[in-house]
Amino acid sequence: MKQFDPPARSVSMTALVLTVCLWIAFPWAGSAAQPLLVSTQGDTNDVFAFPDVATGLPTPAASPLTLPGSTFPHGIAYASLTRALVCNISQSEVIAMDPSTNSVLHTIDVSPSYAGGTVAISPDGQFALVAGERGTAYGGTPTPVLVTIADPFGISPTPTTVALPNDQIVEDYQTNGIVFDDTGRAFVATQHKDFDAADPMNSPNTSFVHVLDPPYTSIAFSMPVPVNEDRREVAEGIALTPDGSQLLVASNGDVIWIFDAPFSSTPTVHTLSAPGQFLCTIGIGVAPDQQRAIVADCGDRILSVAAPFGASSTVESLTVPAPATGGQFEHVAISDDGQLAVVTGGSVAAGLPMVVIEPPFIQAAATLHAVPVGSGRGAGAARFIPTRLFTDGFELGNVQRWSAASP
């Protein structure tokens, strides 16, 4: 049934009143503010809320959220000012939080999956996907499943396990492994549960990007990743271009893969090889203008890839501030307005800051800041709030879009 469409003037007035109320309640929620959540698993094991990471660089204001005891926060997702999800890597649970009041809404049991790594929320806010297992090469007994959580912020969130084919998992260290497009289609990058990076020639090495459509209870189709089975290449972090035309996949090696739409079980894939620049690519993000991709490399490096994205793309190294070196990098987050990028993770108990990058994201002009986060960035993740939610509504913390009820 078609929903009632109110007059355009009524929608605009409602949005205006809502925006004013939000500005009063959250003065940092204007268009220029960049709210950010950062987890620090392995250092202080906190999640820090930055009301506006763009203000006061290189030391923007931040405060820790209050988490339940024995929480080791790793993957995080940020849906709205009042809704966020935090993966507790020690308890096989996802914690639903209201960052605006620094309160826990509830915890969601996602066992038998370990599910400590990546969590992502669908564009309509009605579902979350979470995955992350410790592979056998890292001393774990992995369960090759993905967990779908229906109504993650509701009274009765419902987790459902989705079997991943071909013994595939998302490694628990990977926090960039799931992404949604604007239509709600989900993409999950996986690798074989028994792959051993220390002995790649004698361990199974297959990788896929699995595609799911709402309600995310089964795999629609899987796209094979063209890994070199004799090397350490496996699917790691993924990112979609904002227009949905390409999917970029990091490799834990010296390549990234670019998948062209339309996506199918027999995809068109380009391999961008950059030996000596890419050492072991882990996290990846694409700027909103689609002119640059930023790659987090576990070799203590941050790379910038120029569009058009393909086998011949230009790759540049950005100069990492000296205080942020001495560990690795794993996670990339880019704000929806393209004004900031954050590179973090890959460090445990070293007390290292994260890196905040101001555009343009090119070698000659990017500004990189070493930004303290607690006593160290740890092996965690970072998430900006999606700016579309500032105009799409917040009623009762609901992240459904205005467009669901109006043109």
Side-chain angles (χ1 to χ4, degrees):
M1 179 181 296
K2 185 179 186 298
Q3 298 187 46
F4 172 72
D5 292 335
R9 182 177 180 181
S10 298
V11 172
S12 298
M13 182 59 68
T14 301
L16 176 61
V17 171
L18 193 57
T19 300
V20 171
C21 291
L22 284 168
W23 186 87
I24 294 172
F26 308 100
W28 41 272
S31 59
Q34 301 287 3
L36 178 77
L37 295 181
V38 181
S39 61
T40 61
Q41 187 268 324
D43 268 314
T44 57
N45 289 309
D46 286 312
V47 172
F48 287 88
F50 290 78
D52 184 5
V53 76
T55 298
L57 286 168
T59 56
S63 58
L65 299 182
T66 302
L67 300 169
S70 300
T71 297
F72 291 80
H74 196 209
I76 52 178
Y78 204 179
S80 76
L81 292 169
T82 62
R83 296 293 182 262
L85 297 175
V86 177
C87 291
N88 182 359
I89 201 167
S90 70
Q91 300 293 331
S92 295
E93 66 184 14
V94 175
I95 303 167
M97 300 195 69
D98 181 347
S100 70
T101 59
N102 193 9
S103 59
V104 173
L105 302 176
H106 49 249
T107 59
I108 305 166
D109 183 358
V110 292
S111 59
S113 177
Y114 195 61
T118 300
V119 60
I121 300 169
S122 62
D124 63 6
Q126 300 305 300
F127 295 91
L129 297 182
V130 58
E133 294 290 337
R134 184 176 288 126
T136 53
Y138 298 91
T141 305
T143 302
V145 299
L146 173 74
V147 178
T148 296
I149 305 172
D151 197 20
F153 300 106
I155 297 174
S156 300
T158 305
T160 301
T161 58
V162 180
L164 291 172
N166 303 310
D167 289 326
Q168 297 285 296
I169 61 169
V170 178
E171 277 284 3
D172 62 1
Y173 60 75
Q174 178 52 249
T175 53
N176 265 151
I178 302 172
V179 67
F180 287 89
D181 69 14
D182 283 344
T183 71
R185 170 164 275 187
F187 300 81
V188 182
T190 65
Q191 57 184 270
H192 198 282
K193 68 181 181 65
D194 295 323
F195 174 71
D196 186 352
D199 190 16
M201 294 185 66
N202 295 303
S203 60
N205 184 9
T206 54
S207 288
F208 293 87
V209 174
H210 306 286
V211 180
L212 297 85
D213 293 312
Y216 313 109
T217 55
S218 62
I219 305 295
F221 59 90
S222 299
M223 299 188 291
V225 177
V227 300
N228 183 328
E229 294 189 5
D230 293 335
R231 300 171 65 183
R232 61 181 298 171
E233 297 169 2
V234 292
E236 290 286 356
I238 58 175
L240 273 168
T241 56
D243 66 2
S245 65
Q246 291 185 302
L247 179 75
L248 282 66
V249 183
S251 71
N252 202 16
D254 60 9
V255 304
I256 63 171
W257 298 286
I258 299 99
F259 290 69
D260 290 340
F263 305 117
S264 70
S265 59
T266 55
T268 299
V269 189
H270 312 276
T271 299
L272 172 60
S273 179
Q277 291 180 295
F278 295 155
L279 299 182
C280 43
T281 62
I282 299 292
I284 192 166
V286 178
D289 64 5
Q290 302 187 170
Q291 295 306 299
R292 288 277 165 167
I294 295 176
V295 179
D297 192 285
C298 69
D300 209 4
R301 299 157 66 85
I302 299 173
L303 293 308
S304 176
V305 180
F309 303 127
S312 301
S313 296
T314 299
V315 180
E316 299 178 333
S317 295
L318 302 184
T319 302
V320 178
T325 61
Q328 302 178 0
F329 291 109
E330 294 178 318
H331 188 99
V332 177
I334 302 177
S335 62
D336 279 1
D337 63 2
Q339 293 306 299
L340 288 177
V342 171
V343 184
T344 189
S347 171
V348 176
L352 298 178
M354 65 183 182
V355 175
V356 175
I357 309 172
E358 295 183 273
F361 302 131
I362 61 176
Q363 187 179 57
T367 302
L368 283 75
H369 303 273
V371 176
V373 50
S375 64
R377 68 179 186 246
R383 295 288 186 185
F384 285 99
I385 195 169
T387 54
R388 67 172 180 267
L389 300 177
F390 289 131
T391 57
D392 289 340
F394 290 96
E395 186 174 355
L396 298 178
N398 194 322
V399 295
Q400 292 199 37
R401 301 181 179 189
W402 281 107
S403 58
S406 60

